[in-house]
């Protein structure tokens, strides 16, 4: 009888394993078609804080670098020269939307303008300022 008891307990052990294996195989058959459909899906993740980009809108960046000769000290003339250099960048930014509308934009919105002015002086070079300007716009295409 002891042998019969072992045979019964072994078959009871094998039966749940067989049922589990069968259930796993069926689950795979059900999930596999769903997974193959998921491959064609496209997921877009937008970063928090980033402005949502609308269809048909394009960001345009423009930068300019130039040199303005003149005094670089702390006096009034040097201050006027720095003001003139920044004004030049701002005027360029103001005209940029007009140019973009002429060429490729239906509408234009300025997002940012920045200027950076560095003093240049020394024995081997002309005294003045190196001016860097950057402008960012958002346009809708014609």
């Amino acid at each position: 009888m002891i042998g019969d008891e072992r045979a019964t307990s072994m078959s009871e052990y094998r039966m749940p394993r067989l049922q589990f294996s069968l259930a796993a195989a069926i689950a795979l058959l059900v999930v596999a078609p769903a997974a193959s459909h998921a491959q064609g899906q496209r997921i877009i993740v937008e970063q928090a804080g980033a402005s949502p980009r609308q269809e048909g809108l394009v960001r345009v960046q423009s930068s300019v670098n130039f040199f303005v000769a003149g005094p670089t000290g702390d006096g009034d003339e040097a201050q006027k020269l720095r003001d003139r250099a920044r004004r030049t960048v701002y005027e360029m930014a103001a005209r940029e939307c007009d140019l973009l509308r002429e060429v490729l934009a239906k509408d234009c919105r300025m997002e940012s303008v920045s200027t950076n002015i560095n003093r240049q002086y020394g024995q081997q070079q002309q005294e003045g300022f190196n001016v860097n300007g950057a402008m960012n716009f958002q346009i809708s295409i014609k």
Side-chain angles (χ1 to χ4, degrees), residues 6 30 40 46 61 66 76 87 90 101 116 119 125:
R6 275 193 188 166
V30 171
E46 293 185 14
Q61 281 185 309
F66 58 93
D76 288 339
R87 177 183 291 274
Y90 299 148
R101 282 188 197 99
N116 187 4
R119 185 171 75 160
Q125 51 197 3

Side-chain angles (χ1 to χ4, degrees), residues 94-105:
R95 287 191 302 271
E96 191 71 18
C97 263
D98 294 336
L99 179 61
L100 286 166
R101 282 188 197 99
E102 286 178 23
V103 178
L104 56 96

Side-chain angles (χ1 to χ4, degrees), residues 22-74:
L22 186 58
I26 291 172
L28 255 174
L29 290 174
V30 171
V31 173
S36 67
H37 289 285
Q39 290 175 347
Q41 292 179 349
R42 184 174 171 190
I43 299 171
I44 299 173
V45 177
E46 293 185 14
Q47 295 179 353
S51 61
R53 183 170 169 219
Q54 297 175 350
E55 198 62 36
L57 294 180
V58 175
R59 282 201 165 78
V60 176
Q61 281 185 309
S62 182
S63 62
V64 62
N65 302 307
F66 58 93
F67 178 78
V68 179
T72 60
D74 293 330

Side-chain angles (χ1 to χ4, degrees), residues 107-118:
D107 192 25
C108 178
R109 182 175 66 95
M110 186 183 313
E111 291 185 330
S112 67
V113 178
S114 65
T115 60
N116 187 4
I117 300 174
N118 296 301

